[in-house]
Amino acid sequence: MTTKTETMTRQAPAQDAGAFPVPRLDQQLCFALYSASGLMTKLYRPLLDPLGLTYPQYLAMLALWQHSPSTIGELGAALGLDSATLTPLIKRMEAGGLVTRRRDSADERRVLVEPTAKGEALRARMKDVQEGLSCAMPLERAELKALHGTLTRLVAGLREATADQD
Amino acid sequence: MTTKTETMTRQAPAQDAGAFPVPRLDQQLCFALYSASGLMTKLYRPLLDPLGLTYPQYLAMLALWQHSPSTIGELGAALGLDSATLTPLIKRMEAGGLVTRRRDSADERRVLVEPTAKGEALRARMKDVQEGLSCAMPLERAELKALHGTLTRLVAGLREATADQD
DNA sequence: TCCATTTAATTTGTACACGATTAATTAGTG
DNA sequence: CACTAATTAATCGTGTACAAATTAAATGGA
């Protein structure tokens, strides 16, 4: 009588009465962020492919257009990536002719990264990327604005909360 | 007189009058999502490490606790990942003793994934993970709720917008 | 029944992403 | 000035992540 029901259904197994309910995937904020981020990358891909850029490389170009030359460390701070990720990423961009890398003569530890003429030329094509993207965005302009604001505060808070793990 | 000013400053270069302004990193929704997602992963790491789970593996366990056995394809649909990502991920979880893999005898193409006793045992430790996490979240409960709602609609819309790229 | 098509998972190749370590350089202190 | 401490990239190892090609199995006609 007690062991009889243990092989009934697999769908709601072993949930003791009063036990902590296992969090559902669709109720997890982290999963919504994870999914949204991945889908945005997928949305950018066809727009960036013809430019010879991956999505992280596109972010790096945005940072460099804003401020260059930049060191690996500065790029890392701007993008939230560490040198183990950026060093090979920048080297691939260098191989693609989009940026130059050189040691800072004033401090030989630093590596200065700067767009090439070819890299600068991509600036002119950003209009199409932005337009192509905003057309595909499923939310209202005001909603996107509000979402961006909330995310910005979330990111600022998370940076503090994870600051110890560097 | 014309070529004299071309080496002035590096900070605001070559922005033709009326040209499309290069989008700023901190104004890009995609970058906010990218940063937030990465920081959430970093926030989970110390909580999941003692369980022997990476963050994507944690998501896979959530999906399996919700519904198992699941095929690779079902997990892929739930998580938004393709089989080329999931196959090795699940194999690592199998090597860690958290799940079992077996071919479906009714359809030998399918692989059924199911938590082991050890995997089921992790359920009991999810309370600590959830609590440890929500303590570190920098936003108000209501704000998080609203953010989750907006993201859910964004994800649904992006799924449609990217549905052709499968 | 046979075979073309479809489906499911795996494999291969490329590109992130991070923790931990290392190597080179610079800064600081006595 | 010597020598240690701190800083900066690069490297190594492991784990995602996806496109494209491959293999194996099931399905749907002719």
Side-chain angles (χ1 to χ4, degrees):
Chain A
M1 187 185 180
T2 39
T3 55
K4 194 99 165 275
T5 56
E6 79 185 24
T7 54
M8 28 190 303
T9 173
R10 282 334 265 101
Q11 226 61 339
Q15 193 77 261
D16 290 16
F20 186 76
V22 173
R24 287 178 38 157
L25 207 46
D26 62 316
Q27 292 173 348
Q28 294 277 304
L29 176 63
C30 65
F31 179 59
L33 286 166
Y34 172 86
S35 302
S37 181
L39 287 167
M40 287 296 289
T41 301
K42 185 182 282 190
L43 194 59
Y44 267 101
R45 195 186 314 277
L47 298 167
L48 296 177
D49 257 354
L51 309 187
L53 287 174
T54 66
Y55 176 69
Q57 289 171 9
Y58 162 71
L59 296 180
M61 284 308 294
L62 288 188
L64 287 172
W65 283 327
Q66 212 74 46
H67 175 56
S68 76
S70 287
T71 66
I72 298 290
E74 286 168 345
L75 283 174
L79 299 172
L81 299 173
D82 74 8
S83 64
T85 300
L86 276 175
T87 294
L89 184 148
I90 295 296
K91 282 183 178 175
R92 282 187 290 269
M93 292 175 73
E94 185 186 32
L98 297 173
V99 300
T100 59
R101 278 158 32 88
R102 65 177 196 278
R103 289 282 169 179
D104 184 347
S105 57
D107 183 344
E108 290 285 343
R109 291 171 303 182
R110 297 171 187 267
V111 168
L112 297 177
V113 185
E114 197 166 10
T116 60
K118 182 179 173 185
E120 284 294 342
L122 289 185
R123 272 171 173 269
R125 305 226 251 155
M126 283 305 106
K127 186 160 174 273
D128 299 331
V129 173
Q130 292 302 298
E131 286 175 354
L133 195 85
S134 53
C135 286
M137 289 298 286
L139 267 51
E140 298 294 335
R141 200 179 187 74
E143 261 180 324
L144 293 175
K145 197 99 173 171
L147 176 58
H148 185 264
T150 306
L151 285 174
T152 300
R153 283 184 300 119
L154 175 63
V155 166
L158 288 177
R159 259 199 257 274
E160 280 191 48
T162 57
D164 49 318
Q165 308 169 33
D166 308 324
Chain B
M1 189 183 179
T2 40
T3 56
K4 194 105 168 270
T5 56
E6 79 184 25
T7 55
M8 27 190 302
T9 173
R10 279 341 260 102
Q11 225 61 341
Q15 192 79 260
D16 290 17
F20 186 77
V22 172
R24 286 178 38 156
L25 207 46
D26 62 317
Q27 292 173 348
Q28 295 277 303
L29 176 63
C30 65
F31 179 60
L33 286 166
Y34 172 86
S35 301
S37 180
L39 287 167
M40 287 295 288
T41 301
K42 185 182 282 190
L43 194 59
Y44 267 100
R45 195 185 314 278
L47 297 168
L48 296 178
D49 258 353
L51 308 188
L53 287 174
T54 66
Y55 176 69
Q57 289 171 9
Y58 163 72
L59 295 180
M61 284 308 295
L62 288 188
L64 287 172
W65 283 328
Q66 212 74 44
H67 174 58
S68 74
S70 288
T71 65
I72 298 289
E74 286 167 344
L75 284 175
L79 300 173
L81 299 173
D82 74 9
S83 63
T85 300
L86 277 174
T87 294
L89 184 147
I90 295 296
K91 281 184 178 175
R92 282 187 288 271
M93 291 175 73
E94 185 187 31
L98 298 173
V99 300
T100 58
R101 278 158 32 87
R102 65 178 195 279
R103 291 280 168 180
D104 184 349
S105 58
D107 183 343
E108 291 284 343
R109 293 172 302 181
R110 298 171 186 266
V111 168
L112 298 176
V113 185
E114 198 166 10
T116 60
K118 183 180 174 186
E120 284 293 342
L122 289 185
R123 271 172 173 270
R125 305 225 251 155
M126 284 304 106
K127 185 160 175 273
D128 299 331
V129 174
Q130 293 299 301
E131 286 177 352
L133 194 84
S134 52
C135 286
M137 289 298 286
L139 267 51
E140 298 294 335
R141 199 179 189 73
E143 262 180 322
L144 293 175
K145 198 98 173 171
L147 176 58
H148 186 264
T150 305
L151 285 175
T152 299
R153 283 185 298 120
L154 176 63
V155 166
L158 289 177
R159 259 199 257 274
E160 281 191 48
T162 57
D164 49 319
Q165 308 170 32
D166 308 323

